[in-house]
Amino acid sequence: MPTREVELRPLTRNDVGRIQKWLEDSEITESWFGRYAYGDPAHLGYHPKELLDATGEEWDGVLNNPEHRILSIYSPEGDHIGEFHVAVEEALGDGHVSILIGRKDLWHQGYGTAGMRAGLRKSFTEWGLYRVWVDVPEYNESALSMCEHLGFIHEGTLRKSRPHEGSRFDSVVMGMLSTEYETHSKSERHDQHHKV
């Protein structure tokens, strides 16, 4: 699979409209945050339907919230293809990371990995986080594989924490420290250099 490049950009109203549309697809919803107990698609940091009608002040409040760093993922061709989100616990230097590629035609082509790689770079080098972590349902094998490939370490299991298709599933917690990020990034750059 080729190494993809993506660009992280500030969220726009058009992006939120696309997120809202993507979340109408159950397969996309289940691959990201899932659903709230009352059935609506879950989304952290903002509610897409509400944000579309937000005033300028409400919009700025979402975009400048230090506890939720939200960026749109764009392809090299300039297409909006997903979203990167970090729920930040500033006092701990800790961030819960999630990523969505909403364009299903681009799934399993390396865009999620590229988006996560770009988001990790921002999390550690720009936002100064010490640790980031993910919470991946056991049935999302491609996301688990991607996180392992990027250097995340298994930290624990949340038992039967994810409802999905009438059953409950475990969720896998994986984390990465800033020191591990530096080591893994150097290793990846070294590998890329030797492939050229």
Side-chain angles (χ1 to χ4, degrees):
M1 184 184 304
T3 302
R4 300 286 186 188
E5 292 298 324
V6 296
E7 185 183 350
L8 299 183
R9 298 184 188 174
L11 193 65
T12 70
R13 285 187 196 261
N14 285 339
D15 296 345
V16 174
R18 276 184 287 272
I19 292 282
Q20 176 63 35
K21 276 271 185 243
W22 291 334
L23 292 180
E24 290 170 7
D25 183 317
S26 289
E27 192 178 5
I28 294 173
T29 294
E30 293 300 332
S31 77
W32 205 17
F33 296 120
R35 293 184 180 278
Y36 293 117
Y38 52 83
D40 282 0
H43 189 285
L44 300 184
Y46 67 88
H47 296 288
K49 274 184 196 167
E50 293 172 17
L51 193 59
L52 283 172
D53 299 323
T55 64
E57 190 176 335
E58 291 167 336
W59 177 266
D60 291 344
V62 167
L63 260 59
N64 299 315
N65 182 349
E67 293 178 358
H68 289 279
R69 308 288 174 93
I70 303 164
L71 293 165
S72 292
I73 302 171
Y74 273 76
S75 71
E77 295 77 32
D79 296 322
H80 175 227
I81 63 170
E83 187 171 282
F84 178 79
H85 174 267
V86 187
V88 177
E89 187 73 46
E90 284 197 277
L92 301 175
D94 186 274
H96 178 197
V97 173
S98 50
I99 189 168
L100 169 74
I101 299 300
R103 287 266 309 270
K104 285 165 66 172
D105 60 313
L106 298 179
W107 282 9
H108 310 296
Q109 294 184 36
Y111 289 101
T113 301
M116 182 66 89
R117 193 177 278 124
L120 290 173
R121 189 179 315 117
K122 269 204 177 293
S123 297
F124 289 119
T125 64
E126 189 173 317
W127 299 331
L129 296 180
Y130 180 74
R131 173 180 173 268
V132 299
W133 59 283
V134 294
D135 165 10
V136 182
E138 62 181 332
Y139 54 80
N140 194 342
E141 292 175 14
S142 58
L144 290 169
S145 174
M146 174 190 76
C147 290
E148 283 175 15
H149 170 74
L150 288 171
F152 281 85
I153 307 294
H154 182 267
E155 294 183 341
T157 302
L158 302 175
R159 296 177 303 146
K160 306 301 176 201
S161 66
R162 291 291 185 106
H164 177 65
E165 295 181 346
S167 299
R168 293 195 73 91
F169 292 84
D170 291 349
S171 193
V172 180
V173 176
M174 303 171 81
M176 181 185 295
L177 306 180
S178 57
T179 50
E180 293 165 344
Y181 170 75
E182 289 166 18
T183 302
H184 191 78
S185 292
K186 282 180 189 166
S187 170
E188 277 194 333
R189 284 194 301 271
H190 180 264
D191 291 347
Q192 288 297 325
H193 178 73
H194 284 282
K195 280 182 186 172
V196 176

